[in-house]
Amino acid sequence: MEYYRRFSELSLIESIDNYPVTVVIGPRQCGKSTMVKQYINERKNSVYLDLERPSDIRKLDNAEWFLGSLKGQLVCIDEIQRKPELFPLIRSLVDEWDQPGCFLILGSASRDLLRQSSESLAGRISYIRLTPFLWNEIQKNHSMEHYFSAGGFPRSILAAKEDTSYKWREDFILTFLERDLLQWKNFTPAAMGRLWRMLAHINGQTVNYSELASSMGISSISVKEYIDLLASTYMVEVIQPWFSNFGKRLVKAPKIYIADSGITAALLGIHSFEELCGHPVIGAVWEQIVLTNLRGWFPDAEICYYRTTNGAETDFIINITGNIYAIECKVSLDPVLSKGNYLAFDDIAPKNTFIVTPAQDSWPLKPGIDVVSLNELQKRLV
């Protein structure tokens, strides 16, 4: 399979050169292992351990002895969330070795989840977040329509046939529900599968935990715990409202997005772009695509949404090093803004407002408001 260069590669190299421990986080099968293996293949003195491989797990039966013998090499440990007890030993070793580039760790759990085990590494650790493919990583060989329906997971969008791509996503969903969930307690595959599909139907909408709980016959606390797990494993993205404007009556419920357009399509039984175009979720899928790319370009930026009870709304507000931008996503190639959009822009008073469409062209709409392509959005936000 052809290797596609990732936007995060430069951040990875910079982190390894400056921190004793670098952690690459992101959803399963988004390309973390492929990117890291590409890097270590071009580097001498490295060791790769995959904690889903029994032979590699056995090497860690006496972890202190084994890892301690690897001083001077870059030790890569994949799927670290399966052995979080390694973190105290890693802290001890990096303090003893006192140099950058000691450990490169990969995990399919979020920074917050891993932080519970890695608190003692404060000041010694750097996190790199990898998403499924960003548009500018694959656009030379794939159409935007294909990106919509197949999503950004490598084995989905790079599949030779549409049916193969869809089957891979079905298998991915099943594997996550029936295998990956086993490492977490108090969750059942059947209930999680029902909730995940319900969330696909309300993709990009504000979430009402009580309504979901009533539909599933469980408590709203349990629904929130299920959603927290999906967010912690990068299967959904929870976007909080923007609270800077305290003089307005704001909608306070979070919005939830499925983490990948191809996974959304599979959860809804949508096989092709043609089917997706005729489905009410198409607009939310475009919002999700824009959100994924924003997360990939600006992993540390704060991203919120804005909505008031009087109808003012915009899809995203992003804070990049203190600069506030409003972003509205329109799946139409000839976007039309609503009165509520203009009210939101007046409330927010952003540095600039961008209307993002799937088109290749960009143009000024009004002073301070520009219609932009996805590629142009990245350039304008830097």
Side-chain angles (χ1 to χ4, degrees), residues 53 151 195 217 224:
R53 184 179 298 168
L195 176 63
K224 190 175 186 308

Side-chain angles (χ1 to χ4, degrees), residues 318-334:
I318 184 167
N319 183 338
I320 304 174
T321 61
N323 293 313
I324 303 296
Y325 301 91
I327 296 174
E328 181 68 18
C329 308
K330 297 294 186 183
V331 76
S332 170
L333 300 183
D334 184 23

Side-chain angles (χ1 to χ4, degrees), residues 78-346:
D78 202 345
E79 298 298 341
I80 189 66
Q81 72 274 3
R82 296 186 177 275
K83 286 187 77 69
E85 65 271 19
L86 289 174
F87 279 111
L89 172 60
I90 290 172
R91 181 201 59 79
S92 177
L93 291 173
V94 299
D95 283 352
E96 176 187 335
W97 297 346
D98 191 24
Q99 63 185 32
C102 298
F103 287 91
L104 176 54
I105 292 170
L106 286 69
S108 301
S110 70
R111 180 189 304 194
D112 291 338
L113 210 57
L114 288 178
R115 187 179 287 126
Q116 299 169 16
S117 304
S118 61
E119 288 178 350
S120 60
L121 282 166
R124 310 170 182 87
I125 191 168
S126 171
Y127 292 90
I128 306 295
R129 177 169 174 176
L130 192 68
T131 66
F133 276 132
L134 306 178
W135 172 236
N136 55 7
E137 293 171 339
I138 50 91
Q139 62 176 333
K140 290 184 178 180
N141 298 317
H142 299 273
S143 67
M144 179 63 77
E145 292 79 6
H146 186 43
Y147 191 46
F148 260 81
S149 58
F153 280 95
R155 291 189 179 277
S156 176
I157 195 166
L158 301 181
K161 298 180 180 179
E162 196 169 70
D163 289 346
T164 305
S165 169
Y166 187 84
K167 180 63 166 58
W168 181 89
R169 282 176 276 136
E170 282 192 318
D171 291 343
F172 176 89
I173 293 167
L174 189 63
T175 299
F176 175 80
L177 293 172
E178 296 189 351
R179 192 194 71 172
D180 295 343
L181 278 180
L182 295 179
Q183 60 190 298
W184 314 106
K185 296 180 180 180
N186 303 320
F187 296 95
T188 63
M192 182 64 85
R194 287 179 57 206
L195 176 63
W196 208 0
R197 285 175 170 81
M198 290 171 69
L199 294 176
H201 282 280
I202 61 169
N203 191 32
Q205 299 179 29
T206 55
V207 63
N208 186 313
Y209 295 110
S210 297
E211 288 184 1
L212 289 172
S214 177
S215 298
M216 294 184 64
I218 58 177
S219 71
S220 57
I221 293 176
S222 295
V223 167
K224 190 175 186 308
E225 289 175 347
Y226 272 55
I227 290 175
D228 285 346
L229 175 59
L230 287 171
S232 293
T233 49
Y234 300 103
M235 293 298 103
V236 302
E237 184 89 25
V238 181
I239 302 297
Q240 300 294 337
W242 191 61
F243 285 118
S244 291
N245 196 330
F246 294 105
K248 300 291 182 177
R249 298 182 63 184
L250 304 176
V251 174
K252 298 180 180 179
K255 289 203 301 185
I256 294 187
Y257 291 89
I258 303 299
D260 177 76
S261 61
I263 298 298
T264 302
L267 288 168
L268 296 174
I270 297 171
H271 290 74
S272 65
F273 178 72
E274 181 181 357
E275 291 180 26
L276 184 59
C277 278
H279 199 284
V281 79
I282 181 69
V285 165
W286 177 234
E287 292 175 31
Q288 176 273 313
I289 288 172
V290 174
L291 177 60
T292 293
N293 282 266
L294 289 173
R295 285 293 189 210
W297 298 328
F298 308 103
D300 297 322
E302 178 187 14
I303 302 177
C304 302
Y305 80 96
Y306 184 75
R307 184 177 301 168
T308 68
T309 55
N310 72 342
E313 63 177 341
T314 194
D315 294 322
F316 303 118
I317 299 170
I318 184 167
N319 183 338
I320 304 174
T321 61
N323 293 313
I324 303 296
Y325 301 91
I327 296 174
E328 181 68 18
C329 308
K330 297 294 186 183
V331 76
S332 170
L333 300 183
D334 184 23
V336 176
L337 297 180
S338 68
K339 177 182 177 181
N341 291 148
Y342 287 112
L343 289 173
F345 304 154
D346 289 340

Side-chain angles (χ1 to χ4, degrees), residues 21-35:
V21 182
T22 295
V23 181
V24 182
I25 50 178
R28 289 182 59 80
Q29 300 291 324
C30 73
K32 298 186 300 296
S33 300
T34 301
M35 181 181 71

